[in-house]
């Protein structure tokens, strides 16, 4: 009997820029419905990893597999079609279109429908767009032009747009960057609950350790391109090597301290 492959399997991923080893032999896997955080100090190689997973950047060596199927070397569009969604596409939303129309465009794109976008978007997949907007708490904003939205609401729209593709895996590189602390926690809570309900795997990076420790099922830690730790939030927080890396920034101590104080 063969064992089902994990949703995402990363094996020996490596990328150098001249003399800089941005990512060095990184291997990990992720299950459907699992929320995995990739953390590490600035320049650790997190974004480089993400870009190799979504096809924007080619690894020097290594493999990426989605449900056993090789994605290494494929174009971003092909990887997206295989069910790998991303958030940070907000700059790709249309400011003059309404919130609902932006989701409709994403649904159409997912349905690979060929037609004149500007002509027929308003009626296409209207109901499904509405359901996705309700899911992310944006039902009341459906008819607003996207350009009027506050930043936190744009982020929720971005999530709805990503969900329109029915992703199996969501890649989120600093999804909460630029948001207020309260909004960050809310956005990740929303993302995590939808992902668990729909069995979507999530890989995210985040500098706010409160968000990481509250929402990740598991954490992997990169430092200077190399994975130095992997485990539950509690295991990672108590890992001496991780503490050494983060001590200078005070982040881990602060998050643990706050959690301890509020318990
Ligand atoms: N296109 C590039 N050309 C040269 N060096 C690069 C390039 N992209 C990344 N690097 C280098 O690779 C290393 C890893 O960078 P990366 O952006 O992946 O880190 P990161 O963990 O995402 O950092 P941050 O937390 O600041 O977002 C850094 O030393 C960076 O300067
Ligand atoms: Mg980065």
């Amino acid at each position: 009997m063969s064992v089902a492959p994990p949703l995402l399997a990363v094996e020996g991923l490596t990328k150098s820029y001249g003399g800089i080893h941005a990512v060095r032999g990184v291997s990990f896997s992720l299950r459907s419905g699992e929320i995995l955080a990739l953390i590490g100090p600035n320049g650790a190689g997190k974004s480089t990893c993400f870009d190799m997973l979504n096809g924007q950047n080619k690894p020097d060596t290594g493999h990426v597999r989605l449900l056993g199927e090789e994605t290494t070397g494929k174009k971003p569009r092909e990887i997206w079609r295989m069910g790998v969604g991303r958030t940070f596409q907000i700059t790709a939303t249309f400011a003059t279109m309404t919130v609902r129309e932006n989701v409709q465009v994403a649904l159409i794109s997912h349905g690979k429908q060929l037609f004149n976008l500007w002509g027929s978007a308003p009626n296409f997949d209207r109901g499904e767009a509405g359901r996705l907007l309700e899911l992310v708490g944006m039902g009341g904003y459906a008819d607003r032009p996207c350009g009027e939205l506050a930043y936190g609401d744009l982020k929720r729209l971005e999530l709805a747009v990503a969900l329109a593709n029915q992703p199996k895996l969501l890649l989120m590189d600093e999804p909460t960057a630029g948001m207020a602390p309260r909004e960050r926690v809310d956005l990740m809570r929303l993302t995590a609950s939808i992902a668990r309900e729909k069995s979507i795997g999530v890989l995210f990076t985040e500098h706010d350790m409160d968000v990481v420790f509250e929402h990740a099922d598991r954490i992997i830690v990169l430092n200077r391109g190399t994975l130095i730790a992997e485990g539950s939030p509690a295991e990672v927080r108590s890992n001496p090597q991780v503490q050494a890396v983060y001590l200078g920034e005070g982040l881990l101590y602060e998050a643990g301290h706050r959690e301890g104080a509020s318990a």
Side-chain angles (χ1 to χ4, degrees):
M1 205 177 70
S2 65
V3 180
L7 175 62
L8 175 72
V10 175
E11 227 179 82
L13 217 53
T14 297
K15 182 81 191 181
S16 296
Y17 294 106
I20 299 170
H21 295 286
V23 173
R24 228 197 283 217
V26 165
S27 302
F28 64 91
S29 63
L30 196 164
R31 301 183 309 272
S32 293
E34 186 180 29
I35 318 290
L36 179 65
L38 172 58
I39 67 168
N42 291 116
K46 304 181 296 295
S47 294
T48 306
C49 268
F50 269 78
D51 290 348
M52 289 192 282
L53 300 183
N54 66 38
Q56 297 233 300
N57 200 339
K58 276 199 174 32
D60 297 336
T61 56
H63 295 275
V64 181
R65 294 186 185 88
L66 189 76
L67 291 170
E69 193 180 334
E70 188 87 41
T71 69
T72 329
K74 288 196 196 305
K75 295 194 172 68
R77 186 86 192 158
E78 293 174 79
I79 294 175
W80 177 80
R81 285 210 193 283
M82 289 170 77
V84 179
R86 289 188 277 161
T87 60
F88 68 74
Q89 296 158 326
I90 208 64
T91 47
T93 58
F94 304 95
T96 55
M97 289 171 83
T98 67
V99 166
R100 183 192 283 111
E101 284 165 354
N102 268 280
V103 180
Q104 285 176 272
V105 168
L107 286 165
I108 290 158
S109 181
H110 173 59
K112 305 177 192 84
Q113 306 286 337
L114 283 175
F115 75 108
N116 179 350
L117 266 186
W118 310 103
S120 1
N123 292 317
F124 196 91
D125 276 328
R126 197 182 158 86
E128 179 58 15
R131 279 188 287 281
L132 282 170
L133 287 171
E134 289 293 336
L135 189 65
V136 300
M138 290 288 289
Y141 297 76
D143 296 316
R144 294 253 200 99
C146 184
E148 282 180 10
L149 293 184
Y151 192 65
D153 295 331
L154 269 175
K155 287 289 187 175
R156 286 190 289 158
L157 171 58
E158 189 184 33
L159 181 59
V161 164
L163 291 170
N165 186 41
Q166 299 185 352
K168 298 180 178 88
L169 171 67
L170 264 185
L171 301 175
M172 307 174 90
D173 193 359
E174 297 194 39
T176 71
M179 297 174 86
R182 183 70 249 165
E183 280 186 324
R184 292 175 183 209
V185 170
D186 288 347
L187 182 76
M188 273 322 289
R189 183 172 294 149
L190 178 69
T191 305
S193 84
I194 294 172
R196 288 191 179 110
E197 187 198 313
K198 293 182 174 288
S199 259
I200 298 169
V202 176
L203 179 68
F204 77 107
T205 67
E206 173 63 64
H207 281 289
D208 183 330
M209 289 301 127
D210 283 345
V211 173
V212 170
F213 287 122
E214 182 174 339
H215 297 291
D217 295 318
R218 202 153 55 89
I219 302 174
I220 52 181
V221 188
L222 260 186
N223 187 38
R224 298 180 185 199
T226 306
L227 273 193
I228 59 164
E230 171 172 1
S232 68
E235 285 165 348
V236 164
R237 188 162 35 206
S238 61
N239 181 306
Q241 224 186 326
V242 178
Q243 286 175 353
V245 164
Y246 272 99
L247 221 55
E249 304 190 11
L251 289 171
L252 214 59
Y253 169 76
E254 237 180 77
H257 187 69
R258 269 204 295 277
E259 222 172 63
S262 64

